[in-house]
């Protein structure tokens, strides 16, 4: 093989693969492909200097010995707000059209898998990062390269982030689970877990064997010039990515047009079962990139997109038993154990009953046939009892009066029944499990089983005790050899110096989750224990209930919070400095028209100066800063008497 022939062979192999993995339309046989592949491999062995980055041989990775490295996304990965019915769709469209002139919507399926961010530089795939918390994920580049629908090279030289979902096709998912049964391994609960698990394999040959598929749905950092998402996505597909199997671009001019969106959604539901991948809804996005920039984001979601979820799937099953779970806050949750039932590729064995009032209202009895419903990720629930199926053997259950775990008398508040014993084993164990879990201190190896053992052996009675465990103590436990014991002690030690919000989140304060913990630490750093109600209410998204819950928790637990803080020594985040005096500080400004730089950039500059950048003009606006072709916002500013300045004047004011 000459170098010229080598180059041709690579192009040919990539063409074969594109037809096979992206177009679902093979143009050769495995035999022909394999033969050429081996010739290429031979050539590369002899001539390593001619190796091409997009050679299919580069898709075989190695083993990552020390786990994955954390890696920052160039721009944040967001999640979506959900809607569930036509009424909510109409409301969303109405609200959005107020923020967006001449609205056009782009619709495509919502894939059920694991999100992945691909970074291409100079046309070459340089990084693949899992979503993680949206800002930082894990670098799984080696594994991503084994996914054949991810091009290793694209015809686009500027830096670009391409986001998409990694999925496992339904038949592949079933095959993997069958294989796992044969090997006595634990089954994947659903295709999403299977996809996510396969992406995070330390040995990339396992990832390669799972036949994952990448479906692009968006773009992060980029320097694209196309004005609409439709055009941008077509451009991305032209690089060789797999296009969305159904998509629609639809101008919304009257209420009737919303019906078109609804029809498209219904059509997608009808076709849902025939698609290879699992879908859990339809994503609707504002098509104009300029409008997207103007509408911006809430704490969690873009305002310019929404997930219209598919209705849940219902099945009939039988209740075998009803058990009581005691959560970390002491709330007792009745749970129905049901005959294992397949729903959309998931085996359901439990259904939540929420609380006793619900059991009484629905008159749910052990032995009843019931309709259960599973929608997306949530735990299935019981929607209806099939009373006509009863044969007299069904047993009602009584309201519990004593804790099923510690036997102490329960506080019955109607909807909620609570165990108030702070020392109740279930409460303590569950709060330690939560303390060690991912969104908290993320202590590797400290799962449910181990926490239960540590508790029952009397080694750990509170989270604090974790930090005083010794090697001898652990090694005396069954199944704990030296290595495992040392690893656990190291993992616990590593929790020290954690980010401050993890510490707050780990305390199990009712109504205070991850987002609230982050907001608290951003504002008060390590002084959360000294806040007042007034200060709390001022935080965006904080309501009365959250503030009161936090203050009550601090009142009761001040000492143990301080002790734990002393042990953990969490890192204080850098507090946002108050901006220095400048003409835009504390002013509300609106940007409109095209400017010399992307408006998002100018927005950040202004926000750092302490300005509030709003997307719509009102009497409260202080300035409307306009670029070329400014339209109705500029006119509105004039009619309301709001000061208008050009981009140049803005820069002048800052000099
Ligand atoms: S758009 C800023 N489009 O759903 C827009 N997401 O809840 C953010 N997903 O994390 C996402 N299919 O992993 C978008 N067609 C689609 C999607 C999609 C699946 C996932 C994605 C994201 C999550 C959002």
């Amino acid at each position: 093989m000459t170098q010229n022939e080598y180059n041709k062979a690579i192009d040919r192999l990539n063409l074969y693969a594109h037809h096979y993995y992206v177009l679902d339309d093979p143009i050769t046989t495995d035999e022909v492909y394999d033969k050429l592949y081996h010739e290429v491999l031979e050539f590369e062995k002899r001539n390593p200097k001619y190796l091409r980055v997009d050679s299919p041989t580069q898709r075989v990775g190695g083993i990552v010995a020390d786990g994955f490295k954390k890696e920052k996304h160039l721009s944040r990965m967001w999640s979506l707000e959900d809607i569930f019915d036509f009424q909510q769709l109409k409301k969303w469209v109405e609200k959005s059209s107020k923020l967006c002139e001449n609205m056009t919507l782009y619709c495509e399926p919502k894939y059920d898998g694991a999100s992945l961010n691909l970074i291409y530089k100079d046309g070459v795939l340089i990084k693949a990062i899992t979503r993680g918390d949206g800002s930082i994920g894990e670098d799984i580049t080696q594994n991503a390269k084994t996914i054949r629908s991810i091009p290793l090279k694209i015809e686009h030289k500027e830096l670009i982030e391409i986001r998409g979902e990694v999925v496992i096709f339904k038949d592949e998912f079933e095959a993997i689970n069958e294989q796992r049964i044969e090997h006595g391994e634990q089954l994947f609960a659903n295709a999403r877990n299977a996809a996510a698990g396969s992406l995070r394999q330390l040995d990339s040959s396992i990832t390669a064997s799972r036949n994952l598929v990448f479906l692009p749905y968006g773009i992060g950092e980029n320097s694209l010039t196309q004005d609409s998402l439709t055009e941008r996505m077509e451009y991305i597909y032209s690089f060789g990515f797999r296009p969305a199997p159904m998509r629609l671009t639809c101008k919304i001019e009257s209420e009737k047009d919303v019906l078109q969106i609804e029809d498209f959604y219904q059509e997608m539901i009808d076709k849902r079962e025939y698609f290879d991948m699992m879908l859990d809804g339809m994503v609707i996005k504002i098509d104009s990139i300029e409008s997207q920039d103007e509408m911006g984001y809430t704490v969690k979601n873009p305002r310019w997109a929404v997930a219209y979820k598919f209705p849940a799937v219902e099945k009939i099953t039988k209740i075998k038993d009803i058990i009581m779970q005691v959560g970390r806050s002491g709330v007792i949750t009745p749970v129905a154990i049901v005959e294992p039932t397949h729903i959309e590729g998931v085996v359901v064995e439990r259904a939540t009953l929420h609380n006793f009032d619900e059991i009484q209202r629905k008159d749910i009895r052990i032995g009843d046939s019931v309709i259960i419903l599973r929608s997306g990720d949530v735990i299935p629930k019981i929607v209806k009892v099939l009373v006509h199926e009863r044969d007299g053997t069904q047993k009602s259950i009584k309201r519990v009066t004593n804790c099923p775990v510690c036997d102490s008398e329960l506080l019955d508040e109607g909807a909620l029944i609570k165990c108030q014993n702070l020392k109740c084993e279930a409460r303590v164990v569950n709060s330690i499990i939560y303390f060690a879990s991912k969104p908290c201190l993320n202590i590797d190896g400290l799962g449910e089983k181990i926490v239960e053992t540590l508790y029952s052996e009397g080694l750990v009675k509170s989270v604090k005790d974790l930090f005083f465990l010794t090697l001898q103590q652990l090694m005396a436990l069954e199944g704990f050899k030296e290595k495992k014991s040392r690893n656990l002690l190291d993992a616990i030690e590593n929790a020290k110096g954690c980010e401050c919000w993890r510490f707050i989140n780990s305390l199990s304060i009712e109504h205070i989750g991850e987002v609230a913990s982050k907001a608290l630490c951003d504002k008060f750093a390590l002084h959360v224990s000294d806040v007042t109600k007034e200060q709390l209410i001022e935080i965006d998204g904080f309501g009365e209930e959250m503030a009161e819950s936090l203050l009550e928790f601090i009142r009761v637990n001040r000492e143990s919070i301080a002790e734990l803080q002393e042990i953990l020594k969490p890192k204080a985040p850098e507090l946002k400095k108050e901006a220095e005096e400048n003409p835009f500080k504390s002013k509300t400004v609106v940007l409109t028209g095209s400017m010399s730089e992307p408006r998002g950039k100018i927005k950040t500059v202004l926000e750092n100066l302490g300005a509030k950048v709003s997307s719509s003009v009102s009497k409260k606006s202080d300035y409307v800063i306009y670029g070329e072709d400014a339209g109705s916002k500029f006119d509105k500013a004039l009619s309301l008497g709001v000061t208008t300045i050009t981009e140049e004047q803005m820069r002048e004011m800052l000099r």
Side-chain angles (χ1 to χ4, degrees):
M1 195 181 250
T2 63
Q3 192 197 346
N4 195 12
E5 281 165 347
Y6 167 73
N7 281 330
K8 280 200 179 132
I10 300 279
D11 291 340
R12 181 154 284 262
L13 286 173
N14 284 341
L15 181 74
Y16 289 157
H18 182 69
H19 273 263
Y20 189 92
Y21 292 104
V22 174
L23 306 178
D24 279 334
D25 179 24
I27 51 169
T28 189
T29 61
D30 287 359
E31 196 187 345
V32 172
Y33 183 93
D34 290 344
K35 188 160 169 281
L36 193 55
Y37 181 95
H38 282 102
E39 285 170 27
V40 158
L41 201 58
E42 269 309 301
F43 177 86
E44 288 173 350
K45 263 193 216 146
R46 275 182 279 110
N47 307 283
K49 62 174 184 232
Y50 294 134
L51 176 77
R52 267 174 49 174
V53 289
D54 60 340
S55 164
T57 61
Q58 298 312 294
R59 293 188 180 274
V60 208
I63 295 177
V64 192
D66 344 311
F68 302 110
K69 289 212 181 63
K70 294 260 181 284
E71 188 72 47
K72 242 183 143 118
H73 300 292
L74 302 180
S75 67
R76 179 166 159 186
M77 291 183 82
W78 297 86
S79 48
L80 294 167
E81 181 197 343
D82 291 333
I83 54 171
F84 298 92
D85 57 39
F86 184 56
Q87 284 311 318
Q88 290 178 320
L89 171 68
K90 277 201 295 197
K91 259 205 195 140
W92 185 82
V93 171
E94 201 178 306
K95 191 176 73 187
S96 307
S97 55
K98 282 191 190 131
L99 299 173
C100 169
E101 295 152 18
N102 305 322
M103 188 165 72
T104 297
L105 296 177
Y106 176 84
C107 307
E108 65 179 355
K110 182 165 193 293
Y111 312 109
D112 204 2
S115 38
L116 186 64
N117 184 26
L118 305 176
I119 305 182
Y120 288 87
K121 198 178 159 198
D122 298 323
V124 177
L125 174 68
I126 54 159
K127 280 254 141 65
I129 312 168
T130 59
R131 181 177 186 283
D133 66 1
S135 305
I136 297 174
E138 284 178 318
D139 179 346
I140 53 130
T141 314
Q142 277 304 336
N143 290 347
K145 282 187 179 170
T146 70
I147 301 176
R148 311 301 296 257
S149 39
I150 296 182
L152 299 178
K153 226 175 119 189
I154 59 174
E155 285 300 322
H156 176 86
K157 297 287 172 265
E158 279 106 60
L159 187 69
I160 187 166
E161 285 184 300
I162 298 177
R163 272 90 193 258
E165 199 81 350
V166 172
V167 301
I168 275 192
F169 283 171
K170 292 172 194 162
D171 49 355
E172 178 72 16
F173 171 66
E174 304 237 325
I176 293 175
N177 262 352
E178 266 166 37
Q179 212 182 26
R180 292 174 82 84
I181 292 180
E182 274 169 32
H183 296 162
E185 292 161 334
Q186 206 182 343
L187 298 191
F188 284 121
N190 52 47
R192 175 172 352 113
N193 289 3
S198 304
L199 265 192
R200 297 189 70 261
Q201 290 295 326
L202 295 177
D203 176 354
S204 63
S205 68
I206 301 184
T207 312
S209 74
R210 298 274 167 83
N211 295 326
L212 300 171
V213 175
F214 180 82
L215 297 152
Y217 61 66
I219 304 154
E221 184 72 26
N222 71 83
S223 54
L224 300 181
T225 50
Q226 294 89 340
D227 298 327
S228 71
L229 185 61
T230 308
E231 292 165 287
R232 289 189 177 192
M233 290 312 291
E234 288 305 325
Y235 182 56
I236 298 295
Y237 298 146
S238 79
F239 301 154
F241 285 97
R242 224 182 141 103
M246 270 179 95
R247 49 196 195 276
L248 170 79
T249 304
C250 176
K251 212 170 159 75
I252 307 289
E253 280 166 330
S254 70
E255 225 180 273
K256 264 213 225 113
D257 297 320
V258 186
L259 280 174
Q260 268 201 62
I261 305 279
E262 178 70 12
D263 284 346
F264 189 65
Y265 168 78
Q266 293 300 341
E267 187 188 332
M268 208 180 274
I269 291 177
D270 292 341
K271 294 194 176 148
R272 175 184 190 190
E273 62 176 306
Y274 304 107
F275 287 124
D276 293 323
M277 70 294 269
M278 302 256 258
L279 308 184
D280 63 351
M282 177 172 95
V283 182
I284 309 173
K285 299 171 186 170
I286 306 280
D287 200 42
S288 148
I289 306 296
E290 182 180 1
S291 305
Q292 289 185 1
D293 289 347
E294 276 175 13
M295 292 170 80
Y297 302 82
T298 67
V299 236
K300 279 191 187 165
N301 308 315
R303 289 200 187 85
W304 47 266
V306 75
Y308 191 0
K309 299 301 278 283
F310 287 159
V313 191
E314 295 183 344
K315 278 279 169 75
I316 294 178
T317 183
K318 203 169 196 171
I319 300 185
K320 294 200 295 191
D321 197 5
I322 294 178
I323 59 165
M324 301 300 146
Q325 282 181 345
V326 187
R328 58 195 152 92
S329 60
V331 173
I332 312 273
T333 314
V335 174
I337 307 292
V338 300
E339 302 274 3
T341 310
H342 282 268
I343 305 184
E344 272 274 288
V346 182
V347 182
V348 172
E349 293 186 83
R350 290 168 167 241
T352 170
L353 296 168
H354 298 297
N355 55 50
F356 266 89
D357 282 1
E358 177 166 298
I359 298 184
Q360 279 166 344
R361 200 173 44 228
K362 293 188 179 155
D363 187 19
I364 297 171
R365 305 181 190 179
I366 297 175
D368 265 335
S369 288
V370 291
I371 296 179
I372 51 171
L373 171 142
R374 177 180 176 271
S375 59
D377 220 10
V378 296
I379 311 162
K381 50 182 182 193
I382 292 174
V383 272
K384 195 180 169 89
V385 177
L386 302 177
V387 179
H388 62 278
E389 301 269 335
R390 283 191 180 149
D391 59 7
T393 61
Q394 284 68 24
K395 275 190 290 186
S396 312
I397 58 160
K398 287 204 196 76
R399 260 182 117 79
V400 277
T401 53
N402 289 71
C403 174
V405 176
C406 70
D407 201 40
S408 64
E409 203 175 312
L410 297 172
L411 172 72
D412 194 333
E413 296 180 329
L416 291 188
I417 303 182
K418 279 185 179 170
C419 170
Q420 287 185 292
N421 174 10
L422 281 174
K423 300 214 158 71
C424 169
E425 173 172 347
R427 290 190 64 168
V428 176
V429 168
N430 283 326
S431 53
I432 301 175
I433 293 171
Y434 182 71
F435 181 81
S437 70
K438 266 222 165 123
C440 299
L441 293 174
N442 198 5
I443 303 179
D444 240 4
L446 194 60
E448 219 171 302
K449 284 250 158 57
I450 297 186
V451 173
E452 276 163 13
T453 311
L454 292 173
Y455 185 89
S456 63
E457 293 295 323
L459 297 179
V460 172
K461 291 280 171 223
S462 74
V463 286
K464 216 177 70 192
D465 298 340
L466 288 171
F467 298 93
F468 299 97
L469 284 169
T470 65
L471 189 64
Q472 281 101 327
Q473 283 175 329
L474 289 183
M475 284 176 64
L477 299 174
E478 210 183 291
F480 273 77
K481 300 236 170 64
E482 183 169 343
K483 179 144 191 263
K484 185 166 168 184
S485 309
R486 281 196 194 279
N487 284 348
L488 182 56
L489 289 180
D490 286 349
I492 295 173
E493 190 62 26
N494 276 340
K496 293 183 182 168
C498 63
E499 292 140 294
C500 164
W501 68 267
R502 289 186 179 274
F503 166 60
I504 301 294
N505 198 31
S506 75
L507 297 173
S508 285
I509 309 169
E510 219 172 342
H511 306 302
I512 306 292
E514 193 174 318
V515 175
S517 301
K518 284 182 180 162
L520 280 168
C521 292
D522 278 346
K523 193 123 194 196
F524 308 110
L526 294 172
H527 307 289
V528 175
S529 291
D530 306 322
V531 294
T532 64
K533 187 161 170 185
E534 289 68 40
Q535 286 174 314
L536 288 172
I537 303 282
E538 262 181 29
I539 302 179
D540 238 2
F542 253 71
E544 289 267 324
E545 206 180 19
M546 290 166 79
E548 269 161 21
S549 163
L550 176 67
L551 292 172
E552 175 63 11
F553 187 91
I554 294 171
R555 192 182 65 76
V556 179
N557 299 291
R558 185 176 289 280
E559 239 169 73
S560 25
I561 301 175
E563 278 173 8
L564 200 56
Q565 183 160 338
E566 187 50 39
I567 297 174
L568 273 173
K569 301 210 165 46
K571 274 198 301 267
E574 278 173 36
L575 292 186
K576 275 209 185 106
K577 270 197 274 139
E578 203 180 314
E580 284 176 21
E581 285 313 315
N582 71 71
F584 295 102
K585 187 172 169 183
S586 310
K587 298 284 190 253
T588 302
V589 302
V590 177
L591 300 174
T592 184
S594 46
M595 304 200 159
S596 65
E597 283 184 290
R599 279 214 303 265
K601 265 198 189 149
I602 300 181
K603 181 168 177 240
T604 315
V605 170
L606 287 167
E607 280 171 347
N608 289 338
L609 290 170
K612 181 171 177 293
V613 181
S614 159
S615 55
S616 54
V617 184
S618 75
K619 271 189 278 186
K620 287 196 194 136
S621 315
D622 294 300
Y623 295 107
V624 167
I625 306 173
Y626 63 97
E628 268 170 54
D629 303 322
S632 61
K633 285 185 191 172
F634 180 75
D635 299 339
K636 190 164 176 196
L638 291 183
S639 70
L640 291 176
V642 175
T643 312
T644 57
I645 55 173
T646 61
E647 181 189 345
E648 192 39 45
Q649 283 171 315
M650 169 195 86
R651 294 187 191 278
E652 196 55 45
M653 284 164 75
L654 289 174
R655 255 171 231 142

